[in-house]
Amino acid sequence: MGRIAYVNGRFVPKRDAMVHIEDRGYQLADAVYEVWALFDGLLADPEGHFARLERSLAELRISMPMSRRALTLVLKEAVRRNRVREGLVYLQVSRGVATRDHAFPTTPVAPSVVITVSRVDRAATEARAAKGVGVVTTPENRWGRCDIKTVGLLPNALAKQKAREAGAVEAWFIDDLGLVTEGASSNAWIVDQDGTLRTRDTNANILRGVTRLSLLDVAREAGLKVEERPFTPDEALKAKEAFITGAGSLVLPVVSVDGKPVGDGAPGPVAMRLRRLYIERAKATAI
Ligand code: PLP
């Protein structure tokens, strides 16, 4: 973990990094966040993450705390000060500090901004991808605006804990129609028996994953057939392959669902190829 955090205009040692007890992010989850993967010290998929940050903030009527250009400089300075080359950058922006009241503050408050940087062991994550991971299913119980990347993640945290207790790495939410929406911190994909890539469409109540969006491009460029169409856990079990995407997982093969094997129970060639192609592209376009 990096040792230096950015809090409201200052770089401080993490042990001294504090937010106010009446920060609305802390009390009401009135805050949004973004996570960038870092490759060789550079931010992956910059455009997608900045665009989604601006959208999340606009949906909640929180102002962008600084220009995109200034924010890029601060993020990069946080990376530099932590001397992290391979890792993740976390940004959180809350509506700010105000006496507790559900409705917005009546006088203007400045958004609170926090940035942390953490290291990722790429060799370990490659080894994990080569083995594949298990997922468990869990009923969809989140609010109706999962397209906004808010810090209100309690259902996701509980789902992830369920996965961990089952020896799995991710939980897939299943909606009332029996369809997979997405993972607790990733988007869900299969390669069906026709070789078509399938992932849930963004009219559904899911986060519009930046990795998902980039991978749609990568897959089409690679000549694969892609459909933004839902699938059931049973279809995942009958599929050739399954995988998840996210800034943390990148492209990670899924080899079991609720303890039952997907395909032959090993990472598939399509997922492994897409992982390689995605990482190549992310490195080439990182800033
Ligand atoms: N879905 C959820 C619920 C997430 O929390 C995340 C990432 O944190 C994703 C999908 C993947 O999004 P991205 O590819 O932008 O990291």
Side-chain angles (χ1 to χ4, degrees), residues 33 49 52 149 156 182-187 207 209-211 245-247:
Y33 74 107
H49 287 286
R52 186 174 61 192
K149 196 167 169 67
N156 308 55
E182 62 180 330
S185 64
S186 60
N187 290 107
L207 185 74
V210 172
T211 319
T245 56

Side-chain angles (χ1 to χ4, degrees), residues 39-40 42 44 86 122 278-287:
F39 290 105
D40 200 18
L42 300 176
E86 303 297 321
R122 291 269 177 239
Y278 171 75
I279 292 173
E280 272 171 27
R281 178 181 145 130
K283 284 182 176 170
T285 55
I287 61 166

Side-chain angles (χ1 to χ4, degrees), residues 208-223:
R208 298 164 188 189
V210 172
T211 319
R212 172 192 179 282
L213 199 60
S214 287
L215 197 71
L216 284 170
D217 271 356
V218 167
R220 287 184 181 122
E221 276 168 24

Side-chain angles (χ1 to χ4, degrees), residues 3 17 26 33 65 71 87 134 188 195 221-222 255 285-286:
R3 282 171 296 124
Y26 176 62
Y33 74 107
L71 186 55
E221 276 168 24
V255 294
T285 55

Side-chain angles (χ1 to χ4, degrees), residues 67-83:
S67 69
R68 203 190 264 210
R69 197 178 134 75
L71 186 55
T72 306
L73 292 176
V74 176
L75 291 167
K76 291 178 80 66
E77 180 62 11
V79 172
R80 194 189 67 77
R81 289 191 187 221
N82 281 291
R83 298 204 183 90

Side-chain angles (χ1 to χ4, degrees), residues 190-198 219 223-227 239-241 270 274:
I190 58 169
V191 183
D192 71 16
Q193 280 301 334
D194 301 332
T196 304
L197 276 178
R198 273 162 66 182
L224 298 170
K225 191 159 171 249
V226 185
E227 285 180 12
K240 284 185 172 158
E241 301 181 29
V270 176
L274 287 172

